[in-house]
Every structure is written in structure tokens, then in C-alpha cells.
Amino acid sequence: QAQSQKHLACGTPRKAAGHHSRTQMAPRAGIRFLLASACARNIAATFIPFADVDELRPRRLHEFCRGEKRGIRVCEYALRKTLDDESDIELSWKMEVDPDRVLSLDAEAEHGVRLRRCEPSLLELELPESHVERTVDGALVVGSRFVHGCEHLAGRQLYHRVRSVLARQPRTGPPSRSPLVHVVRLSTVELASVAHAVPSLRLSFAWTPSEAKALTDFPEMKTDYGLNRHLLASRRETSVKQRRLFSFPKSISKDIGGFSHAGDSNGNFDMKNGVVNLMPKQLSNFGWNWDFFMNTTEEPDFDLHAPGIIGKVKIRQPYIKVHAGIFLNFSSQFEGIASTPKVSWRAGIKGHGRVQARVIGSMNTTSDAGTDPFYAFKLPMFAKYENPTWFNKMDFAAGSFPITMEPGFKCAATMYHRGNFKGAANFGGKTRGWLEPALVYDSVKGFDTEFHGELQETEIWPPMWLMFTRRFEMGVMLKPSLLMKGDFAELQSATMAIEGRPYANITITRGDKLGGADAGSTLMKKLTVYPMRVTGIAGVDFNRKFKVIISANGATLQTTAQINWGSVMYSDNISSFDAGPIPESVLMNTTETKILVTLVEVVGDSMPNTLGHGEVTCPSILNGECQPSPASVVIRKNGNVVASVQLMVLWQDNPASWIFSRVRGMALSFPAVILREDTLTAEYPSVSLPVPGARASQMSMHVVHGGQTYVVELAGTIQSPQSSLAGSKTIELSPSFTDTWKPCAPAAGSVCDSPRLELYMGSMKIATAAVPGIDFTSQTAMQGTSGSGGLLARSGTAMEVPSEIALLAPGGGKAIAIASLRARAVPILGSSLFLEPSGPAVVGLSSAERLRWTVAGVDRSRTYVFSMEACRLQHQTAQSAIAFTSMRKVRNQVLVPIAASRQTFRGRCTSSPGASADTSPCFFEHDFYFSEGRGLHQADQVVVRISWKDGSITQTHEMYSPALKVSSGRRLQAAEASASGVPAEAAEASKAGLSPRRLWSQSAWNARVDAHGQGCDRKDLRFQMGAGMLVRGKVDSIDVP
């Protein structure tokens, strides 16, 4: 009955039925008051600090503060404690705060403080008269997730600053005690984190289990993480009183479970204890397929059915085990309510681990999957753990302020193979070492990753084999991720991750041993040296053209002559750059094998002028591509740098499909640009800035790529302290090599500009940033996995890559803006593309030229409205800089729109007559008039800008034609790539990719074995093995408060 009354008192008050006299109500009021106080004490007791260490609970700040004066004081505390299981807890903090203006729901619950109502901007409290002064304007009300019960906070801590007192109503308790209780209703501001609450805070927290202290293979299990409690209890002597690290309230189950210690016969985790109940202390003994109770492992089997391969894989004695603790170092500086706090933190784990496995595989490949190692098909070992799994939260407090860390993990495994193979092989290895991965955050500089560690006693077990292959490559990569969330992180709803990528691969080659030559020296493959572009040439002139001459492997190769339009782009026939077969060892001999590059200028009908020479070698090969890729060749003449040539150097029998996988159309947009007004004001104090509430009409984002600048105007309203703006259009770029979006090689110097963003306010550049590396290497994601993939695939196989980019003030200043760049990569014939003209061309004055183009993601049933106008290339002067800021640029010249040339076209797309709708692009066509009456003149160099809207009232799409030169007569010539260039070869590659996959018949396989009988007798297989680990930091679901 008492429990029932207590439950009722802690719940929503109920109206009593009927009418009662005052004498009847008074006892009930007293009972309600006493029960409310009991309820408050019960809530305070439910704060469960990490490891049940009482010193980690929220406490009154006064006992930690220096001096007796009122106002801001320095408060600090330090704790170092060794628990019964020999694990160490460390907590230290120092803050500047007014302790008289902090009301802790946790620490003051025993004194009668209770939260009655909670909303984002309103709190209603019940508190004794002694605590009323703590609810004045500007005071802080804080409470842990255990005590506040606010539904909208969803398990987060409560931090509120009092804006004003809306109402205060005293209530008298029972006559025997006559306590005066006040019900106070407050108008408040909900704060994002503790960093917004106190002027300054420095905090360090660490937990180190005994298992993580010594680098030994089998540390004694001493840490109680729930699942192992029965084992630890059995080890204790019966004469010793049992003391657990966790003391649970009666209302909470002690059987909270833990992560399983072993895998079953399929390599999966034992789910009987529930993964959702992972304890943070599981990090002391954390692993896969390892029994920490028996110190042994199991040997799972996997049936492998992946693209192009079937077989069975047995992994002998595989395991991963880690013994680690967790740490957090945090600091914040908050200068005022109107400013943004400066926050920095470093969080991670520290400990040691061990991994080993021997892979025994029996496989039969049905085709060469040709899969990118970094985007390979998944293995079933960790299928259930590809989505994040979170440990229980770790709760502790800095004085009155509760803080939560929530670690988690996820894991996956992938495999790739290239080449054909039948037979069996096994290989493996093991290693151990200490590790300290950490995520680092600075609110000014952004995120970074640190990884410290050392591998020791690494062993590689050499392979044994029985197989048939000419060349086969296979690799396995694990993808473990340590995840972190917490209210300290400053980014709401964000998940931080430290991602590891340990990998191992093996390459099997077969070659003749004639004359004692090594197999690698006789394995021949085709050498292709394909020039992509030339950068660094000044001036834009249709009469000046440039071509690249290459000498490699005894062959002389050359491009067609092309104009310089910011850079010189090539799209010649791939077969023109076949340098013939070459052994791998010869190609990688950098002393003897050099690729010579010559840059030639062609002006009209005059003799070619050699601008300079350069050379490149191939020191290493990864997946048939010489590294580094792309190769940048600096062209010099008389010691002076003239230009840079970017090459793709391939050692492959079928280079066409590889090259086509690197050609994509692009669509760039900026869905959000966060402008930091306080930083902007600090960096440019003497500049007149837009006032809050004004439209951001002067703000624009400039994308600089390949010597050309594209401008996106930003729309939105200026706010304080930060403004949320958005780009008003999407820039549709014609297909080009995705490698041109990589940063320029350092050796190229000033003759190559890396892709970058520039933020302008009017004509003044206020911030800039390099475009981060956009990953276009996934053939599966980029080409699709169906038969209709490849170059001819449409927009259905597009890949959208979002990037968050911090733009800094020029000269390495502070971050002024955060831009969300959305890059959408589309296969060629699914992109926005000019089909006619398909390259730089000469057009006739007073003539109508047929333009033909495609639109990415086109709706064949829709009528589009296009606005078309010519833009003339002209020099920019200092006087016209302001007027030209919003215009697209080619090097130091601008493209000025010609208003008189503007035309409007309405229509639907159409396909070529007789062509299949599935393989032929749906294009638009229109006659564009070039005449003096429309503002065009002889010798003008122009482009045609086409813009349209696609289902959005505010968002405009914009694309540009290739460069055009206006001639006095009829159309004279086209300076474009031949019709046998990329699209035609792409069709052949796509067609070749449709060959059916099927297993060998027995008779066919026997015939194949007989054909290679001599080679089998020679035993001429050669193996190469490699292993390593990649580490990076990653942040998902950022929501800036």
C-alpha cells in the first residue's frame, strides 16, 4: 500500500472526486508533501555514476570553491581512485562559476527541490524557501537524465538558463512542520551543453581497467562487466565479503548482461545475453570469437557466394581481442550569452590488443569481378554488426553539472578479388601491440584524428597452395569503428567515429622460369599512357593549340591539338595511347624505364613550337595503375617551369573500362552555408557588414576548378550570431576525369591550381578552403552492379557525395563559414552534356547553329523551359572588378552575359530515331542565333549558358556549352574530339561487360588443365603478400546548435 501511494505521488496529480472540507483536505495535503519529498529523494538516488563511484555523482558546488565572496569563483576538484578490481578512475575539473546561481536537481533533491513541468523554454519547480534565490534571472537549472524526466530531451542532460520568473506561489505544509514551499514558474533558455553554461571549464576523465595496464597476452580478468560476474564471484574466497563494483537500486535489474565472449560455428556473436545491454566496462575484455573465460577461440566456416566467386572458406583460430580503457579531456571558454563558446576535446581509448587468423580457402571464380578493394563485397562474419551498437552510457559529474559519454561500436568485413582462379590456398598471420586512437575536436579548427600505437611480434604465415591461375589477387579488409556520442561533443545528434581498416591481400602470378627469369619479369600486360589535361598555360586564344607527345616503351604517342580554356582537356581515342606490352618488373625499374613527355604549341599553320619536356616513372602499381595517380609531369624549358601535364599510367590488358570508370558528369550545389557573424566581424572589423535581418544578396560562393570559376549566389537572411544561407542554383558540369578533382601534386607548384572554394561578400574574398578529396573510386557505386551499368548507364547509378567544408579567412585565419557541398557524380550519358557541339568549335556569324544537349535526371514526360544566352570572354580590369565578381571566369578573364542574345525554348526531350529508350540519351535541341543584332561580333569567344528549373521554385540548374569562336562566315570547323572517342569506346566496354557469368563445365576445365600441363609441372606460381591498417575519423549527422 505504501508503494502504491508513493507511485501515485510521483505521478501526475489526480483530482479527488466529490467535495471535502478544509479539515479533511489538510492531512492529505501533508501526506502529498511528504510523499513528494520522498519521491525527490528517490529520484536523486537513481543517478547511477559510472562504476558506482559515489564521488562521480552531482554535488553542491560550494564545497569545491575558493573564498567566500559572492559572484564568479574558481571551483576545482581532483579524484584518483583504485577500485577493488584494481581499475583506476581519474576525474579532475576546474571551472569559473557562481555557485549561488546554480540549482542542481540532483544535488538538491534531498532538500525538497522537484521539477514539476518541463518544456524547452519553461520550467516549473517546487522548492523550499531557502532555494528561491537560486532562481533569479540568469541563474542556471541543471539536472541529469535520471532526474529531470523531460520527454523532449530524449535521455540528454538538462541545462537551462533562467530568463525571467513568470510566477511564484508559496504553499504551506502540514501544521506539525509548517515548511514553506514555493512553486516557481520560470521562462528559460535551453542550453546545448555545459559549455554554454559556465564561463570556463577544464575537465579530464579516465578509466583504466587492470587488464589494460600490462601488455600481456592473457591478463587476468578482474573487471566486473556484468556477464562475468558469476566467474569473479567463484574466484573470491568465501571468507571475504563480496563487494561488487556496481550497486543497483532495487528498481533496476542487476542482470544487465554484456557483450558475448565467443562466436558460434558461423562466426557470429552469442546473442543470449543481449548486445543492446553492452557495458562500457566490456572494453576491459572486448573481442570477437574469443572466449575470455577459457582463453581460447573457435574456428568458424563460411560458405562464400560473392560476385564472380563461389567456394568455402575456413578461418582457423581467428580472433580479435582488446583490453582498453576510455578517456575524455574537455575544455570550454564562454565569453557571453551572445557569443559562441570555444570548445575543444579529445576522446578515445587506450590499451592493447591482439589479432590473428589463418584463412583456408577453396574457391572457384566464375569471372573476374574487377572490384575496387575499398568498395568490395561484404563477408557474412559481421553481418549483424554493420549497424551501430551502443554501450550503456557513462555518467559522471563536474560538481553540479552532469556529463554523459556513450561509446559504441560497429564492424564489417569485405573481400575483393581480381582475375580467375580455381583451387585452394591458405595464408595468415598474427600481431599484438598497444594502441591509443582518439578523436579531437576544436570548434574553430574542426575535427581531427590521432592514432598512436606500436605493433610487436608480428608474424606472417607463408601460403600453401594447389591452384590454377595466371594472375589472381584477393584481399580481405575489416572495418571496425569505435563510436562516441555525448553531451560534451558540442554538436547535437552527432556521432563521432574512429574507423580502422586493417587489411591483408595476396597476389598470385604465374610466369615462365625460362633462363632463370622471375615470374614477375615475364608477365606481360599492356602499358597505356593517357594524358588527361595540361595546366598552367596563360592566355586563351583559339589560334593557339597544344598537344602532348609521349615516348614510352619504344612507342611514340601523341594527342590531338586542343585549345586552352583554363586548362587543356583531352578526350582522344584510348587506343592511340597503347605503348605495347611490358613486364611489370621492367616498368617498375625507375632507373631504366622512363616515360618522356613533350608539350608542343601549334599556332595556325606554322611549325610546332616545343614548349618543354618532362619525365615520369612508375615506382609502384596498385590494381594495375601506376602510383601516385594521376601522375603529374612538370614541363620545363631551360630550367623554367612551363606547365604541368596530368597522365593516367595503366598496366592493364583492358584499360578502356578503367578509364571510363573515371569519367563522370558532375552537379555541384550548396544546400547550406553557415556564416559565423562573430568571426566575420572579428576578422574584418573595418568592413561594413550586412546587418541582421538583411538579405544576403552580396554573398556568393565561387568554385575554382581546372582554371575556371563557377559562381553560386547565396540566398537567406543575415542573423546573429550565425546565418543559415543556401545556394540558389546547381552547377551542371560536363563529363571529365574525376582525378582532376584531386589536389595538385606538390611538384607542380603554381602551374596547377587545386580545386577550392572561395566565399565572397560583394567583391571581397572573405574566406577560402580546399575542396576535400571526393571519393569517386568505387566502381560498384559509380557503375552499378546490373548489366546496364557502365558508361551508358543513366542517372539511376549516380553517386551523391556530401561534404562539410570549413572556409577560413585568407592567410590561415579562423573559420568564417561551414559549407555543405553536395557533389553528384553521374555516368556520362546520364549527365548534363552537350552532344552538339561536343567540344570547342567555330560558329558562323549571322547563322543559326543547332545545339543539342542532355539533362541529368530528365523526365521524358515533362515540358522543360530553358533560358539560353551567350556569354562573351573579356579581360577584367581593376575598375570593373566589383561588377564582374558574380560572373563566371576563365583564368583572369570573365564571361559577360550578352542580354540581347537571350532566348527561351520550351520542349520535351527526344531520342534518336530507331534507338532504344534504354540505351539512347533523351536530348533537347534548338537553333541558337549568332548575329550582330543579338550582340555578337566577329572573333568573339563565347559560351552558351543554359538554365532551367527542375521541380523547385527557387533552385536553378545551369550548364555551359564548350568554347565557341564566332567567325565572319558560315560554320568553318570543329575543334572537338572525334566521334570515335569516349562515348563510342564506352559502348564497346559496356557491351563487353554484358558477357554471361557461368561455371566451367567439367570437359572445358579438363581441357584447360591439359593446355597448361607444362606450366603445372614447372610449379611456377609466385606469391606476394601485403598487410597494413588505415585509420580515419568520421562525423555523421551533424546538427550545429
Side-chain angles (χ1 to χ4, degrees):
Q1 183 178 6
Q3 290 293 330
S4 175
Q5 291 176 340
K6 182 178 178 181
H7 175 76
L8 179 60
C10 293
T12 304
R14 300 180 182 179
K15 287 188 176 181
H19 301 277
H20 301 273
S21 66
R22 182 178 301 272
T23 56
Q24 290 175 317
M25 291 293 294
R28 296 197 177 193
I31 293 173
R32 282 198 299 270
F33 171 76
L34 294 175
L35 291 177
S37 300
C39 180
R41 288 193 295 271
N42 181 62
I43 292 174
T46 60
F47 184 96
I48 305 177
F50 176 70
D52 201 31
V53 177
D54 194 65
E55 293 89 338
L56 301 184
R57 300 179 187 273
R59 298 154 69 181
R60 282 186 170 181
L61 281 169
H62 294 79
E63 55 185 292
F64 306 111
C65 299
R66 305 174 189 169
E68 300 295 333
K69 68 175 184 178
R70 300 181 67 86
I72 300 294
R73 296 158 64 183
V74 176
C75 309
E76 58 184 323
Y77 175 70
L79 166 72
R80 181 181 176 90
K81 186 172 185 178
T82 300
L83 307 183
D84 287 352
D85 63 354
E86 300 180 19
S87 63
D88 294 332
I89 290 283
E90 296 181 54
L91 173 67
S92 63
W93 54 265
K94 181 178 181 180
M95 70 176 74
E96 294 179 4
V97 66
D98 184 351
D100 297 318
R101 305 186 74 178
V102 178
L103 180 64
S104 169
L105 301 180
D106 297 271
E108 305 298 338
E110 61 180 324
H111 301 287
V113 175
R114 185 166 69 93
L115 182 63
R116 294 165 53 98
R117 182 180 173 187
C118 174
E119 296 179 7
S121 60
L122 184 143
L123 296 179
E124 186 174 289
L125 297 167
E126 185 177 286
L127 64 166
E129 186 173 13
S130 59
H131 289 64
V132 171
E133 64 179 11
R134 298 197 194 181
T135 58
V136 297
D137 296 356
L140 295 170
V141 179
V142 298
S144 71
R145 64 188 180 92
F146 299 97
V147 75
H148 60 67
C150 303
E151 294 183 359
H152 72 280
L153 289 177
R156 294 182 286 119
Q157 319 289 18
L158 180 145
Y159 303 102
H160 275 236
R161 188 181 302 277
V162 178
R163 181 181 293 169
S164 63
V165 178
L166 300 178
R168 181 178 298 157
Q169 178 182 358
R171 293 171 51 190
T172 304
S176 60
R177 297 187 180 183
S178 299
L180 185 60
V181 178
H182 291 259
V183 176
V184 181
R185 181 175 297 177
L186 306 172
S187 172
T188 63
V189 177
E190 192 165 80
L191 307 179
S193 68
V194 66
H196 296 255
V198 297
S200 70
L201 170 64
R202 289 184 176 272
L203 178 143
S204 294
F205 171 80
W207 169 70
T208 307
S210 63
E211 294 89 336
K213 296 179 182 180
L215 183 58
T216 61
D217 286 342
F218 306 106
E220 181 183 355
M221 185 190 299
K222 297 181 179 180
T223 302
D224 180 352
Y225 55 83
L227 180 67
N228 62 344
R229 189 165 297 143
H230 63 284
L231 176 65
L232 298 179
S234 66
R235 291 178 178 176
R236 298 188 180 99
E237 296 181 0
T238 56
S239 60
V240 178
K241 182 179 180 180
Q242 180 176 338
R243 180 183 184 276
R244 302 187 188 279
L245 294 180
F246 292 89
S247 60
F248 296 93
K250 294 181 179 180
S251 60
I252 297 180
S253 170
K254 295 182 179 180
D255 186 14
I256 56 176
F259 192 72
S260 176
H261 54 276
D264 58 21
S265 60
N266 291 318
N268 297 321
F269 294 99
D270 184 357
M271 298 290 291
K272 63 185 179 182
N273 292 288
V275 173
V276 295
N277 291 323
L278 276 173
M279 293 296 297
K281 287 194 171 187
Q282 181 81 44
L283 287 170
S284 62
N285 297 277
F286 186 77
W288 170 77
N289 207 53
W290 182 262
D291 188 330
F292 286 97
F293 300 98
M294 301 299 295
N295 275 332
T296 185
T297 183
E298 297 190 10
E299 299 187 9
D301 293 341
F302 301 101
D303 290 324
L304 189 60
H305 295 278
I309 186 171
I310 62 172
K312 190 171 185 68
V313 176
K314 182 177 179 64
I315 304 181
R316 186 177 181 187
Q317 295 182 341
Y319 66 85
I320 304 169
K321 67 189 188 83
V322 175
H323 305 280
I326 194 166
F327 63 87
L328 168 67
N329 299 318
F330 175 92
S331 67
S332 67
Q333 193 76 27
F334 188 39
E335 298 178 354
I337 297 176
S339 63
T340 303
K342 297 178 181 179
V343 176
S344 63
W345 52 261
R346 181 175 181 268
I349 65 171
K350 184 176 182 179
H352 60 91
R354 188 179 184 95
V355 58
Q356 82 167 37
R358 180 185 290 273
V359 180
I360 304 174
S362 175
M363 293 173 288
N364 178 22
T365 62
T366 58
S367 71
D368 181 354
T371 304
D372 185 335
F374 293 96
Y375 293 88
F377 45 82
K378 297 177 180 178
L379 290 176
M381 291 187 293
F382 302 102
K384 295 182 179 180
Y385 308 102
E386 293 172 1
N387 295 321
T389 300
W390 295 97
F391 293 82
N392 287 350
K393 294 180 178 180
M394 304 173 64
D395 293 280
F396 54 94
S400 298
F401 298 94
I403 297 174
T404 296
M405 295 176 64
E406 187 176 5
F409 84 103
K410 65 178 181 178
C411 193
T414 59
M415 176 181 174
Y416 78 97
H417 73 90
R418 302 175 68 89
N420 294 310
F421 170 98
K422 183 175 183 178
N426 73 74
F427 67 99
K430 64 179 181 180
T431 188
R432 53 174 265 186
W434 66 272
L435 69 160
E436 185 182 347
L439 268 174
V440 181
Y441 173 75
D442 187 290
S443 57
V444 175
K445 299 179 180 179
F447 281 91
D448 200 358
T449 308
E450 295 179 359
F451 187 88
H452 303 282
E454 180 180 354
L455 298 181
Q456 302 173 356
E457 300 179 11
T458 301
E459 296 182 11
I460 299 295
W461 299 328
M464 302 177 62
W465 65 88
L466 176 63
M467 64 189 66
F468 299 94
T469 187
R470 183 185 177 198
R471 181 180 177 87
F472 181 74
E473 182 179 346
M474 180 178 69
V476 178
M477 176 182 287
L478 298 180
K479 298 183 177 181
S481 298
L482 174 66
L483 310 177
M484 187 72 68
K485 292 194 298 188
D487 46 32
F488 66 89
E490 186 63 12
L491 299 177
Q492 297 178 5
S493 305
T495 297
M496 290 74 71
I498 305 171
E499 296 187 339
R501 295 292 186 268
Y503 65 89
N505 53 52
I506 182 172
T507 301
I508 308 167
T509 57
R510 175 185 168 211
D512 297 328
K513 292 177 61 179
L514 302 177
D518 183 75
S521 65
T522 58
L523 181 62
M524 308 284 281
K525 285 191 177 182
K526 184 189 300 183
L527 174 63
T528 302
V529 185
Y530 193 93
M532 295 185 295
R533 65 172 179 170
V534 179
T535 63
I537 298 176
V540 179
D541 188 344
F542 258 73
N543 291 325
R544 297 178 62 204
K545 298 180 181 179
F546 305 87
K547 64 179 180 179
V548 175
I549 301 175
I550 299 168
S551 298
N553 198 28
T556 300
L557 321 168
Q558 65 179 353
T559 66
T560 56
Q562 300 292 335
I563 69 167
N564 174 41
W565 194 257
S567 59
V568 185
M569 303 294 295
Y570 298 104
S571 57
D572 294 302
N573 195 305
I574 297 171
S575 61
S576 301
F577 301 94
D578 180 0
I582 185 173
E584 181 182 36
S585 58
V586 175
L587 177 59
M588 294 176 60
N589 189 332
T590 58
T591 303
E592 298 181 4
T593 304
K594 299 181 184 297
I595 299 172
L596 305 180
V597 181
T598 303
L599 181 61
V600 174
E601 179 183 12
V602 180
V603 180
D605 297 328
S606 60
M607 293 294 293
N609 174 34
T610 300
L611 296 181
H613 307 275
E615 65 179 36
V616 67
T617 59
C618 181
S620 63
I621 300 175
L622 177 63
N623 301 324
E625 184 177 20
C626 288
Q627 301 297 315
S629 178
S632 293
V633 183
V634 178
I635 303 299
R636 292 182 171 88
K637 187 172 186 178
N638 300 327
N640 298 319
V641 176
V642 177
S644 175
V645 178
Q646 285 188 325
L647 304 169
M648 191 177 292
V649 184
L650 304 177
W651 187 66
Q652 297 183 10
D653 290 329
N654 182 24
S657 60
W658 182 271
I659 290 178
F660 297 144
S661 71
R662 302 300 178 93
V663 179
R664 289 291 181 267
M666 294 281 290
L668 304 179
S669 62
F670 295 90
V673 177
I674 305 300
L675 181 66
R676 295 180 171 178
E677 293 292 317
D678 52 348
T679 308
L680 181 60
T681 303
E683 289 289 326
Y684 301 98
S686 61
V687 177
S688 177
L689 303 176
V691 298
R695 303 297 297 175
S697 57
Q698 296 182 341
M699 308 299 297
S700 60
M701 186 71 70
H702 294 215
V703 181
V704 182
H705 172 251
Q708 302 186 52
T709 302
Y710 303 87
V711 181
V712 178
E713 294 80 10
L714 301 179
T717 303
I718 299 299
Q719 301 291 340
S720 180
Q722 62 186 25
S723 305
S724 180
L725 311 178
S728 60
K729 62 186 173 185
T730 298
I731 302 295
E732 303 277 351
L733 302 180
S734 297
S736 62
F737 287 98
T738 56
D739 282 351
T740 63
W741 286 91
K742 293 182 178 180
C744 295
S750 61
V751 294
C752 182
D753 291 331
S754 296
R756 66 183 185 274
L757 301 181
E758 296 177 345
L759 180 62
Y760 275 76
M761 184 176 65
S763 61
M764 183 176 67
K765 181 170 63 176
I766 60 175
T768 184
V771 175
I774 302 176
D775 191 355
F776 300 106
T777 60
S778 171
Q779 294 183 17
T780 300
M782 299 293 290
Q783 291 185 327
T785 56
S786 65
S788 60
L791 184 86
L792 294 181
R794 303 243 266 264
S795 58
T797 55
M799 183 174 74
E800 193 166 283
V801 183
S803 302
E804 302 291 332
I805 304 173
L807 287 90
L808 310 181
K814 296 181 179 179
I816 289 179
I818 304 294
S820 295
L821 169 63
R822 182 174 298 164
R824 190 169 186 265
V826 187
I828 292 180
L829 295 188
S831 66
S832 296
L833 164 71
F834 265 87
L835 301 176
E836 186 178 345
S838 60
V842 178
V843 298
L845 185 62
S846 301
S847 67
E849 298 293 337
R850 176 61 53 91
L851 303 183
R852 183 175 292 177
W853 68 95
T854 63
V855 169
V858 65
D859 183 352
R860 292 173 179 257
S861 63
R862 178 186 163 194
T863 298
Y864 285 75
V865 179
F866 295 96
S867 177
M868 311 169 68
E869 66 180 337
C871 300
R872 180 188 293 113
L873 187 70
Q874 65 183 61
H875 288 281
Q876 174 180 313
T877 63
Q879 293 79 11
S880 61
I882 296 178
F884 289 158
T885 301
S886 61
M887 299 179 187
R888 185 187 160 195
K889 300 177 181 63
V890 180
R891 288 294 177 189
N892 59 347
Q893 302 184 57
V894 294
L895 288 165
V896 181
I898 304 173
S901 69
R902 190 169 300 151
Q903 304 172 32
T904 301
F905 164 67
R906 297 173 60 92
R908 295 185 180 183
C909 68
T910 182
S911 299
S912 299
S916 170
D918 294 330
T919 58
S920 175
C922 192
F923 59 85
F924 301 88
E925 59 183 357
H926 182 67
D927 290 337
F928 190 87
Y929 293 92
F930 295 85
S931 64
E932 291 185 349
R934 293 183 178 271
L936 292 148
H937 306 284
Q938 182 181 346
D940 280 350
Q941 298 180 86
V942 301
V943 296
V944 177
R945 178 171 64 186
I946 299 180
S947 58
W948 70 97
K949 294 186 182 295
D950 186 11
S952 172
I953 299 176
T954 59
Q955 191 74 11
T956 299
H957 292 255
E958 189 173 275
M959 65 184 294
Y960 292 85
S961 73
L964 306 173
K965 182 178 181 180
V966 180
S967 175
S968 59
R970 56 185 293 275
R971 182 173 179 172
L972 301 178
Q973 61 181 349
E976 57 193 60
S978 65
S980 59
V982 171
E985 290 187 321
E988 296 176 6
S990 179
K991 182 178 179 181
L994 296 177
S995 58
R997 296 177 176 177
R998 58 179 180 270
L999 297 174
W1000 289 90
S1001 67
Q1002 186 64 48
S1003 59
W1005 182 255
N1006 291 339
R1008 182 177 176 86
V1009 172
D1010 293 340
H1012 294 277
Q1014 185 178 1
C1016 292
D1017 294 338
R1018 285 198 301 266
K1019 300 180 180 179
D1020 53 357
L1021 293 180
R1022 297 292 183 268
F1023 283 77
Q1024 292 176 304
M1025 296 182 61
M1029 184 168 72
L1030 310 174
V1031 179
R1032 71 172 182 177
K1034 185 178 181 181
V1035 183
D1036 288 329
S1037 305
I1038 295 179
D1039 181 12
V1040 181

